[in-house]
């Protein structure tokens, strides 16, 4: 008997995953707001150049163009650094929870008589799995077991699960009929 699990959904769907990714999102908000402010300032300068560029003398226009180029370089670097930082923190949370979830997956698989569990997080062709049916999917069972074992309470009613803006890998659609 072969089972499937969407590891990404399991980690992100766990109470701990939801809590930790929501906390990360809140932690990253000040940086996102700072970047938005920098972007607004850059757009304002670009608009100023478009509307007043032909009215400015050559020195003033050159100064404005130089200022825009400098701010754009700085902004681009800040965005790249922020994205890398966010991705690294997301990966750390994901790996930490997965490390704790792995024994739960193994125990559930052994108790359920599974010979193999296959991760379906990546869709074909990124994954060798062409098709799988719902019957062998243990994702929800593992999340429920993990939530019970971890002791982390479910998010408050009305709180939406905070999936990271850039997840480690894309979620896989489930096929319901075999490919032709």
């Amino acid at each position: 008997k072969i089972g499937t699990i969407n590891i990404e959904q399991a980690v992100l769907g766990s109470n701990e995953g939801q809590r930790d990714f929501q906390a990360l999102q809140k932690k990253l908000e000040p940086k996102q707001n700072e970047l938005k402010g920098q972007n607004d300032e850059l757009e304002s300068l670009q608009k100023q150049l478009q509307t007043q560029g032909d009215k400015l003398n050559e020195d003033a226009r050159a100064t404005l163009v130089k200022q825009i180029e400098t701010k754009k370089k700085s902004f681009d670097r800040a965005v790249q650094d922020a994205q890398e930082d966010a991705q690294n923190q997301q990966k750390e949370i994901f790996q930490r929870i997965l490390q704790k979830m792995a024994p739960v997956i193994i125990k559930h698989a052994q108790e359920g008589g599974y010979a193999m569990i296959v991760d379906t997080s990546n869709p074909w062709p990124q994954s060798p799995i062409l098709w799988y049916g719902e019957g062998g999917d243990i994702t929800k069972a593992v999340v429920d077991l993990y939530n019970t074992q971890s002791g982390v309470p479910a998010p408050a009613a009305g709180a939406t699960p905070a999936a990271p803006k850039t997840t480690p890998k894309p979620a896989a659609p489930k096929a319901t009929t075999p490919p032709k």
Side-chain angles (χ1 to χ4, degrees):
K1 177 164 131 174
I2 296 176
T4 62
I5 186 169
N6 183 316
I7 292 291
E8 182 178 307
Q9 284 180 1
V11 169
L12 297 176
S14 70
N15 294 343
E16 186 176 358
Q18 290 178 41
R19 177 197 68 193
D20 291 358
F21 280 108
Q22 284 174 352
L24 177 60
Q25 197 170 13
K26 285 186 176 126
K27 178 182 171 188
L28 296 176
E29 277 179 14
K31 186 65 175 175
Q32 290 171 340
N33 291 337
E34 177 187 326
L35 290 173
K36 185 183 178 329
Q38 287 179 11
N39 187 51
D40 291 348
E41 182 182 354
L42 184 58
E43 285 177 356
S44 174
L45 289 172
Q46 289 170 332
K47 188 174 182 179
Q48 180 183 348
L49 179 63
Q50 287 176 343
T51 58
Q52 301 174 1
D54 54 352
K55 297 174 187 140
L56 297 172
N57 68 38
E58 200 160 313
D59 286 343
R61 188 178 193 295
T63 301
L64 185 56
V65 167
K66 180 78 172 158
Q67 185 180 10
I68 290 171
E69 288 173 357
T70 302
K71 285 191 182 288
K72 177 143 180 44
K73 277 184 192 174
S74 176
F75 174 72
D76 289 346
R77 286 186 189 125
V79 166
Q80 184 176 355
D81 290 348
Q83 286 174 338
E84 287 173 6
D85 182 48
Q87 287 172 348
N88 288 339
Q89 290 184 61
Q90 289 168 1
K91 286 178 185 175
E92 186 277 320
I93 291 169
F94 190 88
Q95 289 299 322
R96 180 176 37 79
I97 295 171
L98 183 57
Q99 285 284 308
K100 294 190 281 184
M101 189 178 280
V104 175
I105 296 168
I106 293 167
K107 183 178 181 202
H108 181 73
Q110 289 170 338
E111 289 174 357
Y114 291 94
M116 179 187 304
I117 301 295
V118 182
D119 180 15
T120 58
S121 297
N122 284 327
W124 186 84
Q126 288 81 23
S127 159
I129 301 164
L130 295 175
W131 177 87
Y132 59 94
E134 296 289 325
D137 189 347
I138 65 167
T139 305
K140 182 174 179 354
V142 167
V143 169
D144 292 345
L145 288 168
Y146 183 76
N147 284 342
T148 301
Q149 178 184 309
S150 74
V152 175
T160 56
K165 290 190 168 121
T166 45
T167 55
K169 28 186 185 169
K174 288 197 166 92
T176 54
T177 57
K180 296 180 180 181

